[in-house]
Amino acid sequence: FPIAHGSLYEDGCLQGLLELADVAYVGCDVLASAIGMHKTMARRLIQVEGVEVAPSREISSGMDASFRARICQ
């Protein structure tokens, strides 16, 4: 049972490693884990399926600081 938390464990990396090693595991597969950790992608996918979600904005460390400041106002 893969019981782990955080990056490299919940983002599909651990599942991918287990699959490459041909080791059985329980829980989400690589794709489901990766989508679950990418909150913006997960929101987009459930919206496509007609699920209503609260308004939000994505903020990334790669964005210009002045752009991030405008979004947060």
Side-chain angles (χ1 to χ4, degrees):
F1 292 91
I3 302 171
H5 179 66
S7 298
L8 300 178
Y9 301 108
E10 292 179 290
D11 62 359
C13 288
L14 177 60
Q15 292 84 347
L17 178 64
L18 293 171
E19 288 186 12
L20 286 172
D22 201 26
V23 174
Y25 63 93
V26 298
C28 297
D29 64 6
V30 176
L31 181 59
S33 297
I35 291 170
M37 283 294 282
H38 194 296
K39 305 308 182 208
T40 302
M41 184 58 64
R43 289 174 51 81
R44 290 177 184 170
L45 289 172
I46 63 172
Q47 282 179 307
V48 167
E49 294 299 320
V51 176
E52 291 186 35
V53 297
S56 68
R57 300 221 180 182
E58 180 179 9
I59 300 173
S60 169
S61 61
M63 292 179 171
D64 178 75
S66 63
F67 182 72
R68 287 194 312 260
R70 284 185 306 211
I71 288 176
C72 293
Q73 290 181 355

